[in-house]
Amino acid sequence: MISCRLIQITRNRQGQPIRTERRIAGDALRIGRGAECAIHLPDHSVKLRHAVIRDTDAGTYYIEGDGTPVCVNGSFHEAAELVAGTRISIGPYELVAETAAGGAELVVSIELVRPHPQEENLLARAPVSLAATGLSKRQPAFWLGLLIALAFLLLPLVQTNSPSVRQALAALPLTPLQTWNPGPLLPGHQSFAAQCDKCHRQAFRAVPDAACTDCHRATSPHATPAAAADLRCAGCHRDHKGKDGMVRSDVPLCVSCHGDIKRRSVDSALADVHGFDADHPEFSVTFKSRPGDAGVRRVALSDKTALVEESGLKFSHKAHSGKVRRPSEPQKFQVMACADCHQPDSGGLRFKPVTMKEHCFDCHREEFDFNPPVDEHRLAHGSERAVVDMLEHYYLKKALREDTGRGGRVPVQQALVDAAARAGNTAAALTGDIGCGLCHETEPAGSGAGIPWKIRPLAITERWLPQARFAHDKHRAAKCTQCHELNRSRDSADVAIPDLQKCRECHGGEQGGNHKVASPCAACHAFHDAPRAQLTGK
Amino acid sequence: MPHRRTLLEYRDRRYLKAASLLIAAAVLAYALHRPPVAPYGGTWLGYALGTLAALLALWQTWLGVRRRRDGSGSVQGWVSAHVYLGAALVVLATLHSGFQLGWNVHSLAYVLMLALLATGGYGVFAYLRIPRLMTDNLGEDSFEDLLLKIADLDERARTHALHLPDAVSAVVMKAIQQTAVGGGIARLLSGRHPDCPTHEAVRRLHDQDDTLDAAQADHHRELYSILLRKESLLIRARQDLAYRARLGFWLYLHAPLAVATLAALAAHVFAALYYL
């Protein structure tokens, strides 16, 4: 049976101990946090049953851990004897065995020497706001802004102004300066894509025309310098738009000047236009000039009296279309089509020139034969002189073979004189509707010539509308006669160029509409065609 | 219940009307515009839309900064203008671009602006939705009330745990000492703490321990009920923090994106003018 004086030590504000005593007794004194323990230490770092104090037969006391060692005088022991001054640490408490005042009685003092610090507030254990986690708005904003300004503003600027930096960066797949490029260049310009200053010659200044004309030297201007003073190449030609962006072909561009052409060019002879389907003037054909003609002869298709071609040829389209008789074999018929004479050229825009040798001679060979034939001589085609030479040659040969009737041959000297006279007579008769005159218009020759007439120089118009780009191959779905009304034409003076009305049957304005082909100005007109050069008809 | 006016309905939707007008005018001009080649920033309409959009962007920034500095009643008006005109800005900038995008600083500015709009859009959504959820979650309590109740329950749990076996006591003490309401960014935003010591303690105390004596069993029962109450309070407190975090989180993206957009915009304008 243990009898124990238990002294509870607390301290006042000055730190002086206040001792309160009570007596406990039992066979063994249990120490622990459990309520049933004689020495009750209500703290969670104390085990429910931490240790037990027992006595021995010899009258001494010892402490024994309940399953775990106990800290006695600073070291852990399964059990230890309690003598005066033995210090036992249990959790925050310190138990000290004191000298018994009355002999065998056990005296133990208990003091809370390591009180738990005030438990930290629930809020202090972890951040309760995003700001408290260290997340910042300013820092990422600053660095992101700085990074973008460096990479996309400063670096490109340094790159464009420093050749050495440009060279150093050239190998990169994407250089800083390229991030300024708003879009792909025209394929032809991509060879110098890295050199922005090839075109952008001055900072903060628009691309000058010289940047274009340095390479594009042959491009003709559209209008006189005075009329186009305020226009820039780049006004219409915008690069960095891929392969389609370069060429402006919109009607408003044309109408901005041609809608009121006098405002831009007071002495312009052109009519105002606002669109093909609106007020486009009637086409004017441009006849081919002859040497010595004064100026260009342009005639509106509506001016029927002036619309006369003076080609110098006599030709009937009616006689050369459909079922026709071959002049050389009148009993035979042949069906003739446009394409027999008019063969497209390699560009597909127009046709190869019609030539006598290729297109006429096959049927009209008889016109060139002599009757009776001598050594397959044939009338020459080329010049009046060649015709007369050939005739003299023919008559000379003929005379030299003829019998004089007096059993001898004509003397050569005589034959030469006769041949020249007969050739002159025959040649003089080849005008009108026979010989050369069958196809060619003739006019009186000067007095000194060998024959009294000469062939009128030819002026066959091949580009009727030189300001328009008409591609015949794009219109191949249509029959020729759908546009060219030539079936009834007997005269080569007839002009069979389709007029505005004919084109409008299929072609609408810029947007088309009404089942018509969309036809902006640029569908027919080229911007940089130098008009003056073309209007000469050469 | 009277209808609570939101920032979107500010002053009879004055800024909605202004923004709609702006958008309609821009769309109409774009539709009627006949650009020479294709619509892009360099036509006269492109420059006009771009200038307008840039000015609007600067004004938007100023509104954003002002909103941060001023916490008074007129904030709602500014936010309303910021939201509606911000939406209009995106339409203007899109039309300004002529729908042409590429790998360049010009498109970078555009994409950053879209990201800015997306975060701002979430902000509006959060402002409209979350306060109601917060009220539903807290009920009549305030966040501080919840914390006080939790502290009180902790104190009571501590007393009851003294009587229970060491293992139980350790779990409960851990729940008392180590349970946190807040946490890292992910925990703050989700409100979920997968390794919460209190959840663990609740799980541990769920099953009745047959080895306990009658008094201990009483403590055990009482402790379990305390922990359950604490757990439900914790869930609400954490949910409250999650709502607060979600109310503010977008701004951590929005503000840096705004600065980034302005920087890209400056580079875009400079590049466009430098190589005119």
Side-chain angles (χ1 to χ4, degrees):
Chain A
M1 187 72 175
I2 305 169
S3 171
C4 174
R5 229 161 19 104
L6 202 60
I7 302 163
Q8 191 89 37
I9 303 176
T10 53
R11 305 228 171 219
N12 67 8
R13 281 186 188 171
Q14 285 75 40
Q16 291 159 339
I18 300 164
R19 297 165 72 95
T20 43
E21 273 187 33
R22 65 188 171 98
R23 278 177 190 282
I24 51 172
D27 289 335
L29 301 178
R30 202 168 278 286
I31 306 172
R33 124 176 97 72
E36 76 282 8
C37 293
I39 302 176
H40 182 217
L41 304 177
D43 186 276
H44 284 275
S45 51
V46 179
K47 286 173 68 182
L48 193 64
R49 291 186 178 124
H50 203 102
V52 66
I53 297 174
R54 299 183 195 279
D55 56 353
T56 60
D57 296 338
T60 59
Y61 301 97
Y62 66 95
I63 183 164
E64 186 181 34
D66 194 342
T68 47
V70 189
C71 180
V72 181
N73 294 331
S75 55
F76 285 90
H77 303 274
E78 295 292 337
E81 192 178 354
L82 290 181
V83 293
T86 303
R87 292 177 177 275
I88 300 156
S89 288
I90 298 180
Y93 299 96
E94 190 167 73
L95 280 66
V96 180
E98 298 186 359
T99 314
E105 194 183 36
L106 178 65
V107 181
V108 175
S109 72
I110 304 172
E111 186 181 358
L112 184 67
V113 290
R114 290 177 292 274
H116 287 298
Q118 187 70 34
E119 225 156 62
E120 56 179 356
N121 189 302
L122 202 55
L123 294 182
R125 288 178 195 162
V128 288
S129 70
L130 289 172
T133 62
L135 209 57
S136 160
K137 297 183 189 102
R138 278 175 193 222
Q139 284 225 338
F142 175 78
W143 290 112
L144 205 57
L146 191 69
L147 183 76
I148 287 173
L150 271 180
F152 299 105
L153 193 58
L154 195 65
L155 270 181
L157 201 58
V158 170
Q159 190 187 347
T160 190
N161 285 303
S162 157
S164 57
V165 172
R166 199 186 304 176
Q167 210 158 20
L169 294 174
L172 292 178
L174 181 73
T175 70
L177 193 53
Q178 273 172 281
T179 64
W180 280 13
N181 184 352
L185 285 168
L186 201 70
H189 289 172
Q190 280 174 8
S191 58
F192 48 83
Q195 299 160 261
C196 304
D197 54 2
K198 185 104 178 165
C199 301
H200 300 275
R201 299 199 167 169
Q202 258 190 301
F204 305 109
R205 290 280 169 82
V207 174
D209 285 354
C212 310
T213 54
D214 278 359
C215 295
H216 299 273
R217 291 189 202 97
T219 305
S220 16
H222 175 71
T224 57
D230 60 333
L231 301 181
R232 294 171 54 228
C233 301
C236 301
H237 300 288
R238 294 278 176 167
D239 210 340
H240 298 284
K241 295 270 159 284
K243 60 180 166 47
D244 302 325
M246 239 350 221
V247 183
R248 249 185 102 166
S249 58
D250 55 314
V251 169
L253 170 72
C254 306
V255 169
S256 65
C257 292
H258 286 273
D260 184 5
I261 195 70
K262 293 281 186 292
R263 203 182 49 174
R264 196 165 264 283
S265 178
V266 183
D267 53 352
S268 174
L270 298 173
D272 291 346
V273 188
H274 293 85
F276 184 68
D277 57 343
D279 52 357
H280 193 288
E282 181 56 272
F283 305 143
S284 288
V285 292
T286 302
F287 289 107
K288 179 154 184 171
S289 314
R290 284 195 178 80
D293 277 0
V296 175
R297 191 162 73 98
R298 294 189 77 211
V299 179
L301 288 175
S302 51
D303 185 359
K304 297 294 181 197
T305 53
L307 198 65
V308 174
E309 191 189 12
E310 294 167 9
S311 61
L313 280 181
K314 299 173 192 170
F315 183 80
S316 163
H317 273 95
K318 183 174 165 55
H320 289 84
S321 63
K323 206 172 168 187
V324 298
R325 230 184 265 275
R326 286 176 77 98
S328 48
E329 301 159 282
Q331 70 281 13
K332 279 194 178 174
F333 285 95
Q334 181 180 346
V335 176
M336 286 190 77
C338 306
D340 289 345
C341 300
H342 299 287
Q343 279 139 11
D345 64 12
S346 56
L349 294 180
R350 286 182 289 276
F351 294 90
K352 292 177 189 161
V354 176
T355 64
M356 199 285 292
K357 200 174 169 187
E358 278 180 54
H359 302 103
C360 310
F361 185 73
D362 193 37
C363 294
H364 290 282
R365 62 173 67 229
E366 241 174 43
E367 312 289 340
F368 297 87
D369 285 344
F370 292 119
N371 192 17
V374 173
D375 292 350
E376 295 189 353
H377 274 298
R378 199 168 265 165
L379 209 52
H381 187 258
S383 71
E384 296 91 338
R385 188 66 248 166
V387 170
V388 174
D389 284 351
M390 187 55 79
L391 282 170
E392 283 181 0
H393 198 197
Y394 170 76
Y395 284 121
L396 182 64
K397 273 198 170 177
K398 195 159 174 274
L400 289 175
R401 287 179 193 180
E402 273 174 359
D403 198 334
T404 55
R406 293 186 296 248
R409 299 279 179 191
V410 179
V412 174
Q413 203 60 40
Q414 183 61 44
L416 277 170
V417 175
D418 288 353
R422 290 173 76 178
N425 288 341
T426 306
L430 287 176
T431 181
D433 279 333
I434 58 164
C436 307
L438 182 68
C439 300
H440 286 280
E441 285 177 3
T442 56
E443 54 194 22
S447 54
I451 44 173
W453 55 265
K454 62 175 183 180
I455 301 281
R456 238 182 131 191
L458 293 185
I460 302 168
T461 305
E462 277 158 14
R463 295 197 66 182
W464 293 90
L465 301 164
Q467 285 296 86
R469 283 182 305 183
F470 184 87
H472 273 94
D473 67 343
K474 285 193 176 172
H475 294 76
R476 60 182 174 273
K479 282 185 187 166
C480 307
T481 50
Q482 230 172 300
C483 300
H484 301 284
E485 291 172 355
L486 275 165
N487 286 347
R488 285 191 299 275
S489 165
R490 292 170 184 277
D491 195 343
S492 57
D494 294 343
V495 173
I497 297 301
D499 61 5
L500 186 65
Q501 206 50 47
K502 180 61 82 178
C503 294
R504 279 183 179 160
E505 284 176 14
C506 298
H507 288 273
E510 185 180 23
Q511 307 299 327
N514 203 16
H515 307 295
K516 292 197 174 175
V517 181
S519 309
C521 309
C524 300
H525 296 282
F527 190 86
H528 284 293
D529 270 358
R532 274 155 203 78
Q534 297 214 350
L535 287 174
T536 60
K538 285 174 187 167
Chain B
M1 193 173 140
H3 178 63
R4 263 180 55 204
R5 276 169 22 124
T6 66
L7 62 95
L8 295 184
E9 292 155 1
Y10 178 78
R11 286 222 194 141
D12 205 18
R13 297 186 161 89
R14 162 195 291 197
Y15 294 107
L16 171 64
K17 287 170 188 167
S20 305
L21 210 64
L22 196 59
I23 290 172
V27 169
L28 190 71
Y30 187 85
L32 295 179
H33 181 48
R34 300 281 299 278
V37 179
Y40 78 112
T43 66
W44 70 263
L45 184 67
Y47 275 125
L49 287 171
T51 309
L52 201 59
L55 291 176
L56 208 51
L58 291 177
W59 192 48
Q60 286 286 16
T61 315
W62 180 74
L63 281 181
V65 171
R66 193 162 171 191
R67 194 194 71 84
R68 276 167 58 99
R69 292 212 177 128
D70 194 305
S72 69
S74 53
V75 165
Q76 207 185 28
W78 294 338
V79 175
S80 185
H82 190 74
V83 167
Y84 283 124
L85 295 175
L89 168 61
V90 173
V91 177
L92 291 188
T94 306
L95 297 179
H96 165 66
S97 78
F99 301 93
Q100 294 191 353
L101 286 177
W103 295 104
N104 50 47
V105 68
H106 316 287
S107 296
L108 174 74
Y110 181 73
V111 170
L112 283 172
M113 184 201 61
L114 287 188
L116 189 61
L117 175 89
T119 54
Y122 172 78
V124 174
F125 170 76
Y127 271 142
L128 293 181
R129 181 171 165 78
I130 290 182
R132 183 190 300 264
L133 295 176
M134 287 177 85
T135 314
D136 290 350
N137 176 52
L138 285 181
E140 296 189 348
D141 296 313
S142 69
F143 179 72
E144 287 66 30
D145 289 343
L146 296 184
L147 294 186
L148 284 176
K149 285 183 182 176
I150 290 171
D152 181 47
L153 289 174
D154 274 346
E155 206 46 55
R156 288 168 61 193
R158 188 191 298 273
T159 318
H160 286 291
L162 282 175
H163 305 280
L164 290 170
D166 295 332
V168 176
S169 162
V171 168
V172 173
M173 282 313 290
K174 192 181 167 201
I176 291 167
Q177 289 168 344
Q178 293 178 22
T179 297
V181 187
I185 296 168
R187 286 182 183 209
L188 279 176
L189 283 173
S190 68
R192 289 174 202 283
H193 293 229
D195 55 353
C196 169
T198 302
H199 293 322
E200 207 182 310
V202 168
R203 262 201 310 280
R204 176 77 175 71
L205 267 79
H206 176 74
D207 297 321
Q208 193 65 252
D209 188 349
D210 293 336
T211 61
L212 302 181
D213 58 33
Q216 279 182 318
D218 282 345
H219 285 301
H220 187 280
R221 249 195 319 281
E222 188 57 29
L223 188 59
Y224 183 62
S225 124
I226 287 168
L227 285 173
L228 276 182
R229 272 179 281 160
K230 180 185 171 187
E231 188 181 37
S232 89
L233 289 171
L234 266 178
I235 288 171
R236 283 170 63 202
R238 285 171 182 162
Q239 190 61 52
D240 190 58
L241 288 185
Y243 285 142
R244 285 195 228 172
R246 288 174 207 171
L247 257 182
F249 180 68
W250 62 275
L251 208 52
Y252 286 88
L253 299 173
H254 196 70
L257 275 173
V259 174
T261 305
L262 279 187
L265 177 65
H268 156 67
V269 172
F270 185 84
L273 295 181
Y274 191 85
Y275 285 143
L276 202 59

